[in-house]
Amino acid sequence: MLNYRFLNNGKPVLVMLHGLLSSLDTFIPLIPTLSEHFSVLLVDQRGHGASKPEGHDYTADAMARDLKGLLDHLGIKKITLLGHSMGGRTSLMFGKLYPEMVEKMIIEDMGIHQRQPRSPERDQEKTEIAKKAEVESLLFDNKDDIFTIISPLYSYAADLMKTKVVERDGKYELKFWPHVSVLYGYQGNYSDLTSALTQTIFPVLFINADPAVGSALTPTCIEHIKTHIPRAQMYEIPKSWHNIHKTHPKEFCEVVIKFHKGEKI
């Protein structure tokens, strides 16, 4: 069962899915504002936060089915689904598999096209890299051991050491499973999810970061969405980075609430 945090106040349900190297904690500061309009359900995806790793399947399909299992467990039939970054990929696949459950969808700074090439050779390569990155625990005696594991995986490993490692009881805790980050980053990106929206009719909003600051969306990504999903609404928040909900939480919540109410954005 996935770890989750559910503030059920009887209002429409907003499900929020985090991205790669993240957890439900990223959305907690938004709860006071969003809970005025929603029952907010935050979820740790498989192998993230307090949801334990499970096998080697971290495709958008597997992650979406995980969410369906949680919603069934909670008895939730209809949701507004918001996904940040890779959580947006999970959201899109969920919408494709279970469109009857989606009232509206919000994608935060993520495209819908195939973002990774796939081949049997690449499957094998990523599997081998993931195996080498597997660890039994996220607690380490020293930081050097952590850096040794993640430095082959990320060119920005030094930055991750500052943001994803915390000291606890004399040990150092890494805030993500390295092998999961390899598998999810590859498997979650190798599907073209355009059909998730061409074959469905629920309203969809893309909240995009400022490309001058740092966005996952290129002009080609945006043009692809506009061409194939004419019903999609798009809104760019100036001076925002990829984690829009963290760099510009007030503006982010305002857009989410307006979309929920059907107001002009």
Side-chain angles (χ1 to χ4, degrees):
M1 178 63 67
L2 298 177
N3 180 59
Y4 65 92
R5 179 170 176 175
F6 189 24
L7 178 62
N8 186 359
N9 53 23
K11 295 182 172 67
V13 177
L14 172 66
V15 177
M16 306 183 77
L17 298 179
H18 61 79
L20 187 68
L21 305 177
S22 190
S23 71
L24 63 77
D25 291 349
T26 191
F27 293 122
I28 288 177
L30 307 185
I31 289 179
T33 299
L34 293 178
S35 63
E36 294 180 10
H37 304 272
F38 301 98
S39 293
V40 180
L41 174 59
L42 309 183
V43 180
D44 277 335
Q45 298 198 82
R46 177 187 301 198
H48 294 74
S51 292
K52 295 186 180 301
E54 183 179 336
H56 293 88
D57 186 352
Y58 291 86
T59 58
D61 184 280
M63 302 298 231
R65 293 180 190 278
D66 282 349
L67 177 59
K68 175 62 161 58
L70 175 61
L71 295 177
D72 287 349
H73 171 73
L74 295 173
I76 297 173
K77 304 296 185 184
K78 204 78 170 178
I79 60 173
T80 291
L81 183 54
L82 186 156
H84 170 239
S85 193
M86 290 293 292
R89 309 283 294 178
T90 302
S91 298
L92 289 162
M93 182 58 78
F94 184 92
K96 180 176 182 177
L97 295 174
Y98 313 107
E100 71 283 355
M101 297 185 70
V102 180
E103 187 73 34
K104 295 184 178 183
M105 182 176 291
I106 302 168
I107 306 297
E108 179 187 355
D109 208 52
M110 178 50 62
I112 63 176
H113 59 294
Q114 181 181 14
R115 302 178 74 243
Q116 287 265 5
R118 188 187 185 190
S119 67
E121 293 75 20
R122 279 180 61 81
D123 285 356
Q124 183 63 32
E125 175 192 1
K126 294 297 183 180
T127 298
E128 291 302 320
I129 292 173
K131 285 181 179 178
K132 292 178 181 178
E134 284 194 43
V135 294
E136 293 183 359
S137 169
L138 293 180
L139 288 176
F140 296 81
D141 292 328
N142 61 75
K143 288 185 176 181
D144 290 342
D145 289 343
I146 297 177
F147 188 75
T148 297
I149 293 169
I150 69 173
S151 57
L153 309 179
Y154 294 100
S155 60
Y156 51 92
D159 293 330
L160 292 176
M161 293 295 294
K162 300 174 184 176
T163 60
K164 299 296 180 179
V165 177
V166 296
E167 188 171 1
R168 193 178 79 181
D169 298 329
K171 290 184 177 290
Y172 296 93
E173 181 182 11
L174 180 60
K175 301 302 289 185
F176 65 91
W177 292 95
H179 75 287
V180 172
S181 71
V182 173
L183 295 171
Y184 188 33
Y186 171 59
Q187 295 174 354
N189 274 315
Y190 62 45
S191 297
D192 186 332
L193 295 171
T194 305
S195 62
L197 296 179
T198 58
Q199 297 176 4
T200 53
I201 60 173
F202 50 74
V204 58
L205 167 67
F206 289 82
I207 305 179
N208 303 337
D210 188 333
V213 180
S215 172
L217 289 171
T218 65
T220 301
C221 298
I222 294 173
E223 189 58 35
H224 179 86
I225 295 169
K226 289 181 177 179
T227 299
H228 294 280
I229 319 298
R231 78 176 187 279
Q233 296 186 59
M234 284 201 167
Y235 188 84
E236 180 183 304
I237 296 183
K239 300 182 179 180
S240 65
W241 184 58
H242 177 58
N243 292 329
I244 309 168
H245 65 276
K246 296 189 75 171
T247 64
H248 289 67
K250 181 175 181 292
E251 295 91 334
F252 181 81
C253 288
E254 286 176 351
V255 175
V256 169
I257 292 166
K258 283 184 178 180
F259 182 61
H260 166 63
K261 291 182 174 181
E263 297 176 358
K264 183 177 179 180
I265 299 173

